[in-house]
Amino acid sequence: MPTLFILLGFRFFFWSNEHEPIHVHISKGDCEAKYNVETLQLIENYGFKKNELRLIESILEENKEIIIERWGEYFKKGGKNE
């Protein structure tokens, strides 16, 4: 499970066997969420509070292009997008 980055204790990552649409998982402590990166839509939330979700969304918005680029690099290298 490749970690994209850790910021303010939030770990942003995806699983090595992911599927489209491009999405990212975020974990901190016992909490986890999943977001569609392209639309910044929350898909799942397990335990994060509203203020934490707002912070996560702002981090995603700031890093959206990087996340999409890393997704493409990782899955193309693995042969999954060919």
Side-chain angles (χ1 to χ4, degrees):
M1 92 183 85
T3 297
L4 297 165
F5 52 87
I6 298 172
L7 186 60
L8 302 172
F10 295 100
R11 180 171 164 255
F12 293 77
F13 64 97
F14 50 80
W15 297 99
S16 59
N17 62 345
E18 290 289 21
H19 54 83
E20 291 195 12
I22 297 172
H23 61 277
V24 67
H25 300 264
I26 303 95
S27 67
K28 184 176 182 179
D30 292 333
C31 301
E32 187 170 332
K34 178 173 150 182
Y35 275 87
N36 179 316
V37 175
E38 294 171 314
T39 63
L40 300 178
Q41 180 181 4
L42 177 63
I43 299 169
E44 297 174 340
N45 176 33
Y46 301 103
F48 283 119
K49 296 177 181 170
K50 287 184 182 184
N51 63 328
E52 293 173 309
L53 293 173
R54 283 193 296 271
L55 178 56
I56 289 168
E57 289 168 13
S58 68
I59 293 169
L60 288 173
E61 191 168 8
E62 286 283 320
N63 295 281
K64 181 177 177 177
E65 292 176 13
I66 294 167
I67 295 168
I68 292 171
E69 182 179 313
R70 295 273 308 274
W71 174 286
E73 289 171 359
Y74 183 83
F75 289 107
K76 190 163 234 164
K77 184 174 94 177
K80 296 183 181 180
N81 282 349
E82 296 179 355

